[in-house]
DNA sequence: AGCCAGGGTCTGC
DNA sequence: GCAGACCATGGC
């Protein structure tokens, strides 16, 4: 990648194997929306405006090179070799169309607490509605960052809330789960800081202490928010994809990168039901 | 109108 | 240990 500054915007050329739009809207992140400049939203609790005018060019608005390298390279997983991952997938016949469908898809590394809450909200819910509930939660309890953009509320600010105060979220039965997560994180019963260095099964068990968090939600939080690339969340769509494409299970060679494969499967089966 | 959603809990066997 | 009811809400 090469860098150019222009009018305060960071232009990155020679970008490989990255499809920004597919990555932002493939059901792993619920904090961005299309805007005049491209896509606007909040990542790592910072406002961000980005666009991809052509496949090999990214524009990060009002961003320095240092901020890009420290924050957004890990956020978008830009230092991982996804071409190699897709080649591994293509060694299995049924996964060839899966790898070929969106080769620029990347698994993001988002802020952990936010990711946990997002996937608590996701249970038995549709993707557009998840986005709405997350947005209302940020507007209700987050800090205003810029324009209509708000940070994600801290565990403490959420833990101070009553169930009635969360009614405007229209989160349904999930509101009480959010409160339990906030309380357990606030008082230290759940230690989010320890999760990245735990074995994935132990980390899943730790998160399942929270009411409303089961294996699927825990796996999503660990994959998208705590760096566990082998976490393999199974929802109804992945269930269908596995039945159709991998009836004998995930090949052992792909298990260490199972979460990444899972994202390709999810995106593929949703567009090819 | 009715079905379903990036599930999990609780109850009853 | 496992099936089935139930949970709130709204997009399609």
């Amino acid at each position: 990648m090469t860098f150019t500054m222009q009018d305060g915007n960071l232009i990155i050329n020679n970008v490989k194997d990255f499809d920004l739009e597919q990555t932002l809207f493939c059901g792993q992140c619920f904090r961005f929306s299309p805007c005049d400049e491209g896509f606007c939203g909040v990542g790592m609790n910072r406002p961000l405006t980005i666009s991809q005018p052509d496949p090999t060019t990214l524009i990060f608005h009002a961003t320095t090179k240092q901020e890009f390298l420290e924050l957004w390279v890990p956020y978008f997983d830009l230092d991982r070799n996804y071409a190699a991952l897709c080649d591994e997938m293509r060694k299995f016949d049924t996964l060839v169309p899966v790898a070929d469908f969106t080769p620029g898809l990347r698994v993001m590394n988002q802020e952990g607490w936010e990711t946990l809450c997002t996937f608590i909200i996701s249970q038995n819910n549709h993707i557009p509605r998840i986005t709405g509930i997350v947005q209302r939660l940020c507007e209700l309890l987050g800090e205003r960052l810029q324009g209509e953009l708000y940070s994600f509320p801290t565990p403490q600010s959420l833990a101070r809330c009553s169930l009635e105060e969360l009614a405007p979220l229209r989160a349904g039965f999930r509101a009480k789960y959010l409160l339990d997560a906030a309380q357990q994180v606030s008082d230290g019963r759940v230690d989010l800081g320890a999760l990245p260095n735990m074995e994935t099964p132990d980390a899943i068990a730790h998160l399942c202490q929270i009411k409303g968090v089961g294996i699927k939600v825990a796996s999503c939080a660990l994959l998208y928010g705590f760096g566990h690339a082998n976490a393999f969340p199974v929802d109804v769509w992945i269930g269908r994809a596995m039945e159709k494409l991998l009836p004998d299970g995930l090949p052992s060679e792909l298990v260490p990168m199972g979460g990444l494969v899972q994202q390709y499967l999810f995106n593929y089966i949703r567009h090819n039901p």
Side-chain angles (χ1 to χ4, degrees):
Chain A
M1 295 187 291
T2 58
F3 304 91
T4 316
M5 281 299 277
Q6 192 176 328
D7 303 328
N9 298 331
L10 183 68
I11 301 173
I12 302 135
N13 289 302
N14 299 326
V15 176
K16 289 188 172 62
D17 312 312
F18 182 47
D19 186 328
L20 175 62
E21 185 168 9
Q22 290 292 332
T23 297
L24 284 177
F25 301 110
C26 69
Q28 60 176 327
C29 176
F30 303 86
R31 293 284 266 153
F32 285 84
S33 58
C35 62
D36 290 342
E37 298 88 347
F39 305 103
C40 299
V42 179
M44 304 306 288
N45 287 313
R46 292 176 186 234
L48 179 62
T49 300
I50 34 180
S51 59
Q52 188 169 29
D54 67 76
T56 62
T57 306
L58 287 172
I59 302 178
F60 279 69
H61 291 247
T63 303
T64 65
K65 183 177 173 181
Q66 183 184 355
E67 187 186 354
F68 172 77
L69 293 175
E70 289 180 1
L71 227 55
W72 305 124
V73 166
Y75 185 70
F76 288 110
D77 210 25
L78 291 175
D79 52 5
R80 191 191 298 271
N81 187 345
Y82 276 78
L85 172 72
C86 289
D87 285 342
E88 281 301 310
M89 291 175 61
R90 290 191 192 92
K91 290 178 181 172
F92 304 91
D93 291 344
T94 58
L95 297 184
V96 172
V98 177
D100 288 344
F101 183 61
T102 43
L105 190 62
R106 286 175 184 258
V107 170
M108 297 165 64
N109 297 289
Q110 305 174 64
E111 200 282 319
W113 160 245
E114 171 181 325
T115 308
L116 172 61
C117 290
T118 296
F119 282 93
I120 288 174
I121 292 167
S122 80
Q123 69 166 271
N124 199 248
N125 215 342
H126 286 98
I127 288 176
R129 230 188 123 233
I130 299 167
T131 308
I133 295 171
V134 170
Q135 184 174 336
R136 289 192 289 277
L137 176 57
C138 294
E139 289 170 1
L140 184 69
L141 295 172
E143 288 181 27
R144 190 190 192 119
L145 298 172
Q146 180 188 105
E148 303 298 304
L149 302 177
Y150 290 81
S151 68
F152 195 87
T154 62
Q156 291 73 24
S157 63
L158 192 51
R160 281 194 293 270
C161 276
S162 65
L163 212 45
E164 301 83 63
E165 290 174 288
L166 295 184
L169 302 181
R170 301 187 312 248
F173 59 85
R174 305 164 193 85
K176 58 180 177 288
Y177 300 154
L178 286 174
L179 283 187
D180 189 59
Q183 287 158 6
Q184 292 210 48
V185 170
S186 292
D187 66 27
R189 279 177 289 167
V190 168
D191 182 4
L192 298 182
L195 291 176
N197 296 321
M198 294 171 72
E199 293 297 319
T200 301
D202 298 335
I204 289 174
H206 192 57
L207 283 177
C208 285
Q209 295 179 101
I210 300 166
K211 288 282 183 195
V213 175
I215 295 175
K216 193 272 175 183
V217 168
S219 299
C220 283
L222 291 170
L223 175 60
Y224 305 124
F226 296 94
H228 285 254
N230 63 335
F232 193 88
V234 178
D235 70 336
V236 291
W237 295 96
I238 292 297
R240 289 169 198 158
M242 293 298 288
E243 192 177 341
K244 188 171 170 184
L245 302 172
L246 296 170
D248 297 326
L250 187 65
S252 59
E253 297 94 318
L254 298 177
V255 166
M257 297 291 124
L260 313 184
V261 176
Q262 176 269 159
Q263 201 60 40
Y264 278 77
L265 284 169
F266 181 77
N267 204 46
Y268 175 80
I269 201 72
R270 274 179 57 87
H271 290 89
N272 305 276

